[in-house]
Amino acid sequence: MGSESSESCLQSFRLYETFSNYYIIGRDKKKTFWKVLKIDRLESSELKIYEDSTTYTENECADLLKRLDEGNKKTGGLKLVTACYGIVGFVKFLEPYYMLLITKRRKIGEICGHAIYTITKSKMIPISNPTVRTLIAYSKNENRYQKLLCTVDLTKNFFFSYSYHVMRSLQKNLCEYKTGQCIYNKKCVWNAFLTSEIRNTLKNTLWTVALVHGFFKQVKLSISGREFTLTLIARRSRLYAGTRYLKRGVNKRGSVANDVETEQIVSEDAAKGRMMRISSVVQYRGSVPLIWSQNISGFRKFKPEFSLAPEQHNYEATKLHFENLAKRYGKPIIILSLLKTRGKKRAEKNLSAAYAKAITSIIEDLPEENQLRFCRWDLNTHMYHRRAIQELKQLGEFFANTLDLTGIFYCHVPQKLCLEGFLNLSYFDENNGQFYLENLNENEDADNLETKVDDGVSSGDVCRKYGVKSTTSQKGILRTNCLDCLDRTNIAQYMYGLVALGRQLHALGFIESPNVDLKNPLAEDLMKVYEAMGDTLALQYGGSPAHNKIFAEIRGQWRPVAGYQDLMKTVQRFYCNAFSDFERQDAINVFLGYFRPQLGKLSLWELDSGQRFNVGRSSTKRSFSDSDIHSRGDSTMTSTDLIHYQPLSKELQGGSMSLPDIPTQPLSDEAQGDDTSILECTPEVSTSIRQLMQVDQSLRSDDNHNVENRDVSNHSSLFDMDWHSSSGNSFVEANDRCPECKDTIDQMKGNFLGEYSMSFLNWVIHGEALFHGS
């Protein structure tokens, strides 16, 4: 692809000041028009913004600045404050408003000719003139709020574009030209709150940029001597954002912690003037969608205990979460849970069982043709039984079947996609001199997408007008989770990306077979990108880079070295969780507008621990004890626990009824959501994934819900997928599966117990940590 799009949107700005006003002069990239914004500085605690309706030429703008300087000579004239590249937003703590500006940027890639930037330097400038400020503006609390907000480092993993909706997937940008909710209300726009006042006042987004938080990486790769561009984007949701132990599970609006949408884009470097072929695949990660938390008071234990809340007996939040996913991505939704299902530590096992119970309850409300499928895959246990390559290959078979169901997005677009507002947040119509705000509705049903069009054109007249030719689209999503949705999840997402890469390259005509082997050099190249993404997302949520033992094993790294590196990451993560996460969470809550300081009210740091913990959450009573998830084991999960559930909406059942709008405070939530089925995979390798998945299984509410100790092969209506499932009970310990193994292990323990401690033997046999405690 060539140079960036030169759309008619403001991309370069200069901030000037007089005694009574700030003036921001903005121009487009081509220097064809200039606009002026005025901000009143004589208001101590109000934000007054005025946009000049006149469109200026360069000479007219220079003349205007000269006249402003001459007219304000008595009070110091007109002074240049800084050059900048967009407004991040405005924020008020106790008295004055502050303006957040991007003062330096760096191009990190481009999509369809539209440049993507990251912030390299930003500035927070108080708006009111010092002569009108009161003592409140200089108070300790005001200064503390300033410092707190500045801990949200805009130079780390925030990115934006002037002319491309980087907060949306390529498929949505090219194939869903809809009207409705403003683009800034998308869940991945992190400065929606900060920009709300200026957007509501001016009725456009000409002066602001929409910031996305997460990860963006674009690299050039080649296969068979042909180059292509790989782009990996991770978009973190703001709706239930926070740090590892302070944000867990789902809130009552269906939003989950560590909610990240990952998009993998593959595009060819087409010759000038020719259509460019491009493909994308989207996958999703998010916390286990139950209402649960961990007790972090004092960090008495290395890993705080889990606590399940009682409000989820009806699984309303869980249902809402899947309804939201279906609304956003379409159907089917394939759920891959990597939680542990065996071992001595019962907490994660019981969380896994509770998750399976919730899905089972939801499934019972669905018709037989439901399209929500659930698979439990104990990745840690699998790794004790097989090498990393073997494990990833079996996952690859699973993901190949997943992609058969969801498909990938593939289309032809003009090499330099300049769509006169089709992709722009705001744009200028040079014919009538008017600015327009484009509104896009993320709540549009993803199932309305056209998957195949005979004439090669999708989405009606709009795509036809702009030359976008779509052949296939993605319908449905893979949802992956482990406990933190960091380390194990990233491994699985890499493998899904590798399987998808084969199909994308095949669609683009780069390879004859839609497969890329793990030994192919492309697999190593892709691994590096996913490893970088995993480290970045882990630092944002968990405080340390991701654990990459499997990646290290694939590279042939010596295990003790990899183990030492993971140990250091664990220590770093614990330190961050124990000592800095509270301040990080406070900063996020202020940045996103979940906590808004007010005079006469308690400051954020004056709230008690319960109030502070629940900032930005739904009102959720946490009446269970810290050890409740231990006491409510699988054996107590009987059918009586399921009698209060509510039926799912028609949307989740595949009907045509649309979901109602979901109100959120202080920022609007958005619809997402869908249907289901349970697949359980074990460390045993069956003959083929296809044969495995022919088992038609179900967990019914009239059965005992001790799913960890039952043989699911006795149930027969849960799922309609031609998928692979391991034989037998996937939640029985390995020595229970194999009597010979049990005898061998018992003999080993008998032979060496006198010489070695039991903890050491457990470490050798089960792979447990030597320093683990009860």
Side-chain angles (χ1 to χ4, degrees):
M1 291 183 294
S3 60
E4 70 171 345
S5 168
S6 56
E7 271 304 299
S8 298
C9 54
L10 301 182
Q11 296 193 23
S12 184
F13 307 84
R14 284 181 176 265
L15 176 66
Y16 297 87
E17 69 172 352
T18 64
F19 179 84
S20 56
N21 294 293
Y22 277 121
Y23 293 92
I24 301 180
I25 311 297
R27 65 166 175 82
D28 68 328
K29 183 177 183 293
K30 288 185 175 181
K31 301 183 180 180
T32 58
F33 70 92
W34 278 253
K35 294 291 292 183
V36 179
L37 190 71
K38 183 174 75 171
I39 306 172
D40 193 338
R41 299 188 65 204
L42 297 182
E43 286 289 343
S44 62
S45 59
E46 291 186 28
L47 183 62
K48 292 189 176 181
I49 303 176
Y50 311 91
E51 183 180 34
D52 191 340
S53 60
T54 305
T55 300
Y56 296 92
T57 65
E58 185 173 9
N59 291 334
E60 290 171 342
C61 189
D63 183 62
L64 173 65
L65 293 175
K66 183 177 179 180
R67 286 187 283 115
L68 285 172
D69 183 49
E70 292 173 351
N72 289 276
K73 284 293 185 184
K74 293 183 179 180
T75 55
L78 183 73
K79 300 176 182 177
L80 175 65
V81 178
T82 185
C84 55
Y85 297 96
I87 299 174
V88 173
F90 297 85
V91 64
K92 174 185 176 182
F93 304 123
L94 299 178
E95 183 184 87
Y97 270 87
Y98 299 86
M99 178 166 46
L100 281 72
L101 301 175
I102 299 170
T103 54
K104 287 186 180 181
R105 68 184 183 187
R106 177 171 57 88
K107 183 178 175 180
I108 55 176
E110 60 180 40
I111 300 174
C112 296
H114 296 258
I116 312 298
Y117 297 95
T118 188
I119 301 172
T120 56
K121 192 174 182 180
S122 63
K123 198 169 188 178
M124 186 166 71
I125 299 174
I127 291 177
S128 61
N129 192 296
T131 60
V132 300
R133 299 175 198 165
T134 69
L135 293 177
I136 296 173
Y138 305 98
S139 64
K140 290 183 178 180
N141 281 349
E142 181 76 16
N143 291 333
R144 188 168 178 179
Y145 279 123
Q146 287 185 52
K147 293 178 180 178
L148 182 65
L149 187 68
C150 288
T151 61
V152 178
D153 191 348
L154 296 178
T155 66
K156 289 184 177 180
N157 310 125
F158 283 92
F159 49 95
F160 66 95
S161 175
Y162 298 105
S163 55
Y164 180 81
H165 294 317
V166 72
M167 74 292 295
R168 306 174 86 228
S169 69
L170 180 72
Q171 177 172 317
K172 285 183 177 291
N173 279 332
L174 296 181
C175 296
E176 293 185 41
Y177 185 68
K178 305 291 184 180
T179 59
Q181 187 178 348
C182 177
I183 198 72
Y184 273 74
N185 287 337
K186 301 303 174 191
K187 71 187 186 77
C188 297
V189 178
W190 272 56
N191 60 332
F193 164 70
L194 296 176
T195 59
S196 59
E197 289 198 55
I198 183 173
R199 289 186 290 109
N200 292 336
T201 300
L202 303 182
K203 307 303 181 186
N204 67 52
T205 59
L206 191 66
W207 302 89
T208 58
V209 297
L211 293 184
V212 179
H213 186 42
F215 177 83
F216 185 98
K217 182 75 172 179
Q218 191 169 81
V219 295
K220 293 280 189 180
L221 301 175
S222 65
I223 185 170
S224 302
R226 296 177 61 188
E227 276 198 346
F228 65 91
T229 301
L230 174 78
T231 306
L232 190 64
I233 308 172
R235 306 175 180 97
R236 183 176 293 281
S237 171
R238 61 175 167 82
L239 298 181
Y240 195 41
T243 57
R244 183 187 181 198
Y245 287 137
L246 297 175
K247 292 293 181 182
R248 290 290 208 189
V250 65
N251 64 17
K252 288 190 174 181
R253 297 186 295 270
S255 299
V256 296
N258 202 16
D259 178 324
V260 181
E261 174 186 278
T262 300
E263 181 178 22
Q264 178 176 294
I265 302 174
V266 176
S267 59
E268 66 175 347
D269 296 327
K272 187 175 182 180
R274 295 186 59 185
M275 296 289 284
M276 178 184 67
R277 291 176 295 179
I278 191 167
S279 172
S280 73
V281 171
V282 176
Q283 56 179 315
Y284 174 87
R285 72 171 73 184
S287 187
V288 175
L290 300 174
I291 301 176
W292 62 285
S293 60
Q294 286 183 274
N295 179 27
I296 54 175
S297 57
F299 270 84
R300 294 184 296 272
K301 293 188 177 181
F302 192 73
K303 291 185 178 180
E305 294 178 340
F306 303 160
S307 175
L308 276 170
E311 291 89 335
Q312 59 206 331
H313 285 169
N314 297 332
Y315 301 115
E316 293 175 0
T318 306
K319 295 173 189 174
L320 182 57
H321 172 70
F322 289 114
E323 289 171 358
N324 291 342
L325 286 181
K327 195 70 175 176
R328 194 187 318 149
Y329 299 112
K331 295 166 279 191
I333 294 176
I334 294 91
I335 308 162
L336 176 61
S337 175
L338 304 174
L339 292 170
K340 294 178 182 177
T341 59
R342 63 186 63 205
K344 291 186 175 180
K345 299 287 185 177
R346 291 192 55 83
E348 187 172 334
K349 291 194 303 178
N350 288 343
L351 182 62
S352 176
Y355 191 16
K357 176 187 171 185
I359 298 298
T360 303
S361 175
I362 292 173
I363 291 172
E364 291 177 342
D365 285 335
L366 300 177
E368 291 186 3
E369 64 274 13
N370 74 79
Q371 295 190 30
L372 183 63
R373 284 139 172 132
F374 183 68
C375 169
R376 293 204 285 188
W377 191 295
D378 187 340
L379 188 64
N380 277 359
T381 302
H382 287 215
M383 291 303 300
Y384 295 147
H385 292 259
R386 294 196 296 272
R387 294 180 60 83
I389 292 289
Q390 295 173 310
E391 176 64 14
L392 292 183
K393 282 182 178 178
Q394 189 177 12
L395 272 174
E397 294 180 58
F398 175 85
F399 292 144
N401 286 283
T402 299
L403 284 164
D404 287 341
L405 293 170
T406 64
I408 65 172
F409 176 64
Y410 168 64
C411 72
H412 298 176
V413 297
Q415 186 182 6
K416 191 175 182 183
L417 194 62
C418 303
L419 301 185
E420 301 177 3
F422 183 43
L423 293 180
N424 280 355
L425 303 184
S426 284
Y427 67 97
F428 177 68
D429 188 336
E430 297 183 25
N431 295 324
N432 58 22
Q434 296 295 317
F435 285 91
Y436 296 94
L437 171 64
E438 180 189 353
N439 291 327
L440 294 161
N441 188 358
E442 186 163 357
N443 297 337
E444 291 296 331
D445 195 335
D447 283 338
N448 291 332
L449 284 177
E450 300 176 47
T451 55
K452 290 184 181 292
V453 183
D454 292 337
D455 62 0
V457 180
S458 66
S459 293
D461 294 337
V462 175
C463 286
R464 184 175 294 109
K465 174 182 176 181
Y466 294 114
V468 178
K469 296 182 180 181
S470 174
T471 58
T472 63
S473 63
Q474 178 178 342
K475 294 180 68 174
I477 194 75
L478 171 69
R479 185 200 195 279
T480 307
N481 72 268
C482 52
L483 185 62
D484 299 321
C485 300
L486 297 177
D487 312 320
R488 286 168 280 177
T489 296
N490 201 60
I491 299 293
Q493 288 205 330
Y494 156 70
M495 195 59 208
Y496 186 76
L498 182 63
V499 176
L501 179 62
R503 301 194 178 207
Q504 290 176 291
L505 291 175
H506 178 68
L508 269 61
F510 279 72
I511 55 179
E512 294 183 1
S513 172
N515 300 302
V516 176
D517 190 80
L518 278 165
K519 297 180 180 179
N520 191 304
L522 275 181
E524 171 69 17
D525 295 332
L526 187 70
M527 185 191 301
K528 292 176 182 177
V529 181
Y530 271 87
E531 192 170 6
M533 181 186 75
D535 287 342
T536 298
L537 297 179
L539 279 165
Q540 293 166 4
Y541 184 64
S544 78
H547 296 282
N548 295 313
K549 288 187 293 186
I550 295 181
F551 289 154
E553 181 178 333
I554 293 174
R555 292 195 183 98
Q557 187 176 0
W558 191 35
R559 280 198 171 190
V561 173
Y564 174 76
Q565 291 173 343
D566 277 354
L567 175 60
M568 297 307 296
K569 291 174 184 177
T570 299
V571 173
Q572 179 183 348
R573 189 173 293 183
F574 172 76
Y575 179 86
C576 185
N577 298 156
F579 300 106
S580 63
D581 274 5
F582 293 95
E583 182 175 308
R584 290 172 61 210
Q585 186 67 59
D586 288 344
I588 290 171
N589 289 336
V590 172
F591 187 89
L592 296 177
Y594 293 142
F595 180 85
R596 306 181 189 182
Q598 296 181 36
L599 280 174
K601 302 289 185 179
L602 290 177
S603 300
L604 182 56
W605 40 87
E606 293 174 337
L607 299 176
D608 61 43
S609 58
Q611 292 173 314
R612 199 169 178 181
F613 178 82
N614 285 309
V615 169
R617 297 168 62 98
S618 300
S619 55
T620 301
K621 296 179 181 178
R622 300 168 64 239
S623 59
F624 279 11
S625 68
D626 297 332
S627 59
D628 180 75
I629 193 168
H630 296 274
S631 63
R632 293 174 59 86
D634 295 18
S635 59
T636 66
M637 295 181 182
T638 62
S639 58
T640 57
D641 292 321
L642 299 175
I643 61 176
H644 301 296
Y645 63 80
Q646 296 294 325
L648 293 178
S649 71
K650 291 183 180 179
E651 170 62 34
L652 188 55
Q653 297 178 12
S656 60
M657 189 177 87
S658 61
L659 286 172
D661 290 336
I662 306 164
T664 62
Q665 294 295 334
L667 296 177
S668 62
D669 204 338
E670 52 194 2
Q672 308 145 13
D674 202 65
D675 329 322
T676 135
S677 132
I678 285 190
L679 165 70
E680 310 207 352
C681 299
T682 72
E684 295 183 339
V685 184
S686 302
T687 55
S688 82
I689 288 285
R690 282 270 173 202
Q691 294 170 342
L692 248 200
M693 290 188 154
Q694 290 173 350
V695 181
D696 207 13
Q697 320 171 5
S698 178
L699 300 177
R700 290 297 182 187
S701 62
D702 55 354
D703 296 318
N704 187 310
H705 274 77
N706 189 357
V707 289
E708 188 171 337
N709 297 309
R710 74 152 93 203
D711 188 340
V712 296
S713 63
N714 294 328
H715 304 277
S716 61
S717 63
L718 178 57
F719 89 45
D720 51 9
M721 296 173 59
D722 182 23
W723 275 12
H724 226 116
S725 163
S726 296
S727 59
N729 178 4
S730 64
F731 301 104
V732 179
E733 293 292 344
N735 54 10
D736 292 331
R737 290 176 159 280
C738 177
E740 293 82 0
C741 294
K742 184 178 186 298
D743 293 340
T744 302
I745 291 172
D746 289 342
Q747 183 178 359
M748 287 174 60
K749 287 184 177 180
N751 292 341
F752 296 105
L753 188 57
E755 185 175 355
Y756 301 103
S757 68
M758 180 60 71
S759 63
F760 180 79
L761 290 176
N762 285 333
W763 175 65
V764 173
I765 297 169
H766 301 296
E768 298 177 0
L770 278 173
F771 53 84
H772 79 283
S774 57

